[in-house]
Amino acid sequence: MLTVDFSRFPLAPGDRVLDLGCGAGRHAFECYRRGAQVVALDQNSDEIREVAKWFAAMEEAGEAPAGASATAMEGDALNLPFPDDSFDVVIISEVMEHIPDDKGVLAEMVRVLRPGGRIAVTVPRYGPEKVCWALSDAYHEVEGGHIRIYRGDELLGKMREAGLEPYGTHHAHGLHSPYWWLKCAFGVDNDKALPVQAYHKLLVWDIMKKPLATRLAERALNPVIGKSFVVYATKPHLPEADAAEPAATAESEPAEAAAPAPARKAARSTTSGAKAGAKSGAKKTAGATPAAKSAAKNSAGAAK
């Protein structure tokens, strides 16, 4: 289940992509399948190990085209281990509402994104999220839980302050808002409640089968109760005058003092630690792709 709409957020084979706070890896898997050079980063070591296994299974099953690469790694969103301008694309989906220093995260994303690069940010939408908070304190008053609810104009303003230029927005996952309202009403940890179980089955069926009826229903519901608010933006190029200054400085320095700029590098090696489980992971994909299996498993939690 994808929150980012790749028809509005074009991705080319060979693009260097950072999926920041990748979670279960749903967007990283899609980027890998589209031929990108993907780095999936998260602070949760258990999720990173699982994502690495799925990357290996996808490679074994031949889901990724030639030239694509994928790496899963632990990391801190406020201190990214990459040089400036390392990535063509950055995705951060359903993460910023968890982080106290959201401006610091935006600054780091802008730093590692190349000029002209694209960024996609998704957060829970204000209205549906307010309902969840009203129904249940346990929904957000947990360690690592949601600490804020964004209004759309607030998020856009923070992105502009960080130096980004938003170019498009939309809402997603209209079918998922009622699920979370049920979860909050019956208890966020109470998966045995019959209405919760029934709605979860509906969501899994929708993700796996993609029937026309639910596609049309979600399209109609997204503008009204879409669970996620999605923003697409670009990092502008430097003004020509500013970009020319380093070149002029380099010409005035002695040749031996002018060192080449560090090459931008995104991790290009497919995770090797998961090779041992790749064959068994590939067998589990019979009847559905690894990414589809993972998406169904995490269908409800992904929209949170």
Side-chain angles (χ1 to χ4, degrees):
M1 184 194 73
L2 300 174
T3 307
V4 172
D5 181 351
F6 286 95
S7 69
R8 310 186 195 202
F9 189 67
L11 189 70
D15 275 352
R16 300 159 298 172
V17 177
L18 172 63
D19 185 2
L20 181 56
C22 64
R26 57 206 170 99
H27 289 106
F29 298 148
E30 180 65 19
C31 294
Y32 187 31
R33 186 181 293 108
R34 289 171 177 259
Q37 299 169 7
V38 183
V39 176
L41 184 144
D42 201 286
Q43 66 176 3
N44 188 312
S45 58
D46 292 336
E47 287 193 311
I48 284 299
R49 281 193 291 270
E50 193 67 19
V51 169
K53 290 177 183 177
W54 282 111
F55 277 152
M58 289 175 71
E59 182 186 26
E60 185 76 10
E63 286 192 44
S69 64
T71 297
M73 62 184 293
E74 290 183 59
D76 181 359
L78 290 166
N79 186 23
L80 296 173
F82 310 111
D84 297 355
D85 308 338
S86 294
F87 296 95
D88 303 299
V89 172
V90 176
I91 296 171
I92 183 166
S93 183
E94 311 301 302
V95 174
M96 288 180 57
E97 68 276 9
H98 296 272
I99 302 177
D101 186 9
D102 58 346
K103 290 185 178 180
V105 173
L106 279 169
E108 271 294 88
M109 290 190 292
V110 171
R111 180 185 67 79
V112 301
L113 183 66
R114 67 166 178 82
R118 304 173 305 286
I119 187 168
V121 179
T122 91
V123 297
R125 184 182 186 177
Y126 184 84
E129 185 77 348
K130 282 290 272 188
V131 174
C132 289
W133 284 44
L135 289 172
S136 171
D137 290 337
Y139 170 80
H140 62 97
E141 291 181 357
V142 295
E143 184 178 357
H146 298 187
I147 63 171
R148 70 174 64 83
I149 305 176
Y150 286 100
R151 291 186 181 275
D153 56 356
E154 176 193 2
L155 179 59
L156 288 166
K158 288 185 176 183
M159 291 176 67
R160 291 188 179 102
E161 287 177 9
L164 295 167
E165 294 182 351
Y167 68 84
T169 67
H170 65 90
H171 299 100
H173 309 316
L175 288 176
H176 286 250
S177 289
Y179 171 78
W180 281 102
W181 296 339
L182 288 171
K183 287 273 288 182
C184 290
F186 286 94
V188 290
D189 296 321
N190 182 13
D191 293 329
K192 294 182 179 179
L194 291 179
V196 174
Q197 287 185 337
Y199 207 102
H200 185 269
K201 289 180 180 179
L202 169 67
L203 294 179
V204 172
W205 175 71
D206 171 57
I207 289 170
M208 298 300 292
K209 302 298 183 180
K210 297 181 174 61
L212 178 60
T214 57
R215 295 298 86 208
L216 293 175
E218 181 149 271
R219 188 179 302 174
L221 289 171
N222 280 342
V224 183
I225 58 169
K227 184 72 169 66
S228 295
F229 177 56
V230 188
V231 183
Y232 305 113
T234 58
K235 177 179 176 178
H237 289 277
L238 290 172
E240 292 185 8
D242 293 345
E245 287 180 5
T249 302
E251 289 177 3
S252 64
E253 293 175 349
E256 62 271 17
R264 298 192 302 257
K265 294 193 293 182
R268 295 169 180 258
S269 58
T270 303
T271 307
S272 58
K275 291 286 187 179
K279 290 186 177 180
S280 61
K283 289 180 180 179
K284 292 178 182 178
T285 64
T289 65
K293 288 282 190 179
S294 179
K297 180 181 177 183
N298 296 284
S299 60
K304 183 179 179 184

